[in-house]
Amino acid sequence: MADFNLTTALLGGLLIGLSSTLLLLFNGRIAGISGIVGGAISFGRDSRWRWIFIAGLLLGGWLYEGVISHGSGLVSAPQSTPISEFAPVSMILGGLLVGFGTRLGNGCTSGHGVCGLGRLSFRSLVAVLTFLATGFITVFVTRHLLS
Amino acid sequence: MMKQLEKQDLLALISGIVFGVGLGLSQMIDRQRVLGFLDLAGVWDPTLLFVLAGAVAFTVVAFRFVLRRKVPLLGDKFYVPSRSDIDIKLVLGAAMFGVGWGLSGYCPGPGIAALALGSWNPVLFVLALVAGMFAFQRYEAGQ
């Protein structure tokens, strides 16, 4: 098994759950990132809060990478994120499939995973098991059959 | 005094920031961690399992209390999906998403938060993600 940090994994997960709860409790909205991005780029009446959420998401990523990961004392073992090898074909093909697929299937890891499972939605459970299965198969094919 | 809409905007910003920090802290913005989790036949990385477990453990409990309310604190209704049917679009869409996830190591949230890393991978991913969503809009409009 790979080395991993149980504390930051759980703590990060709790923050994601907290964020989703805040958005639902105050604004009545589901923190599903694919739905938020899809709504934002359609520039309808309700797109403003979505753009603001996306700005926050970027700001949060920057706050972690630029401040917290440099040993702010907030976490016991902060770690900055390694830059992975440039993989343009995987990014473009993967991004297109993720964009189209999440809109067709009404959600991604956050909408169906964190929020849908949190609501005990059967639809979301089916979606989660499906994308996990095809994710496992895809990595098996690319890492073990093709290379 | 802040207007209701401004308070909602502020809440969306705070929620987005907390989400982004959570993705960073849990290392989900590192695509190799995600690919490591999806690689059952390799050196398996359990990180994502614990991130999802932590997040769902929180929402399962908290959502129960939140959804007992008639209305959210700053709005007039909950925008919660009401469908419970399983259709081909759900399964096909989720299947496509999983393939793209396995190819890139990014899902939408981490892909966007990883833009902060200053690497080209998330930039290309997010551009393609948006293009895929526009393609879906055209497909749906033509249905």
Side-chain angles (χ1 to χ4, degrees), chain A residues 23-111:
Chain A
L23 199 64
L24 189 66
L25 173 64
F26 283 89
N27 293 9
R29 297 284 184 172
I30 293 290
I33 310 299
S34 59
I36 289 176
V37 176
I41 62 171
S42 66
F43 294 100
R45 269 179 49 226
D46 265 347
S47 69
R48 193 170 77 150
W49 74 268
R50 295 188 168 95
W51 281 110
I52 294 172
F53 182 93
I54 292 166
L57 194 57
L58 267 166
L59 208 60
W62 175 83
L63 192 65
Y64 173 77
E65 206 53 37
V67 183
I68 299 169
S69 74
H70 293 297
S72 58
L74 284 177
V75 285
S76 54
Q79 44 203 338
S80 59
T81 308
I83 300 292
S84 69
E85 194 184 331
F86 187 47
V89 177
S90 305
M91 290 305 126
I92 292 170
L93 210 56
L96 287 171
L97 284 166
V98 172
F100 196 97
T102 52
R103 297 307 287 148
L104 183 65
N106 295 110
C108 56
T109 11
S110 50

Side-chain angles (χ1 to χ4, degrees), chain A residues 110-122:
Chain A
S110 50
H112 279 313
V114 177
C115 297
L117 296 183
R119 293 188 300 114
L120 307 177
S121 155
F122 183 62

Side-chain angles (χ1 to χ4, degrees), chain A residues 1-3 13 19 24-28 48 53 56 84-85 87 91 95 101 103 109 114 123 131 134 136 143-144, chain B residues 5 8-9 15-17 19 31-33 38-39 44 55 59 73-74 78-79 85 93-95 98 107 121 129 136:
Chain A
M1 203 156 50
D3 274 342
S19 157
L24 189 66
L25 173 64
F26 283 89
N27 293 9
R48 193 170 77 150
F53 182 93
S84 69
E85 194 184 331
M91 290 305 126
R103 297 307 287 148
T109 11
V114 177
R123 246 175 88 81
F131 66 65
T134 56
F136 288 137
R143 283 199 172 174
H144 301 282
Chain B
L5 196 62
Q8 283 192 4
D9 287 349
S15 173
I17 293 173
F19 206 109
R31 55 188 285 268
Q32 295 302 341
R33 288 248 171 240
L38 292 174
D39 190 4
W44 189 59
T59 53
L73 291 173
L74 297 175
F78 283 107
Y79 295 82
D85 60 308
C107 45
N121 280 335
L129 172 87
F136 175 75

Side-chain angles (χ1 to χ4, degrees), chain B residues 82-142:
Chain B
S82 55
R83 290 177 63 176
S84 58
D85 60 308
I86 309 298
D87 62 339
I88 186 71
K89 283 185 171 182
L90 177 82
V91 177
L92 196 65
M96 282 177 75
F97 163 47
V99 174
W101 193 33
L103 285 174
S104 62
Y106 287 129
C107 45
I112 293 171
L115 289 171
L117 298 178
S119 131
W120 280 106
N121 280 335
V123 176
L124 279 184
F125 173 82
V126 172
L127 287 175
L129 172 87
V130 170
M133 288 183 172
F134 276 126
F136 175 75
Q137 279 184 9
R138 294 202 60 160
Y139 156 80
E140 206 182 25

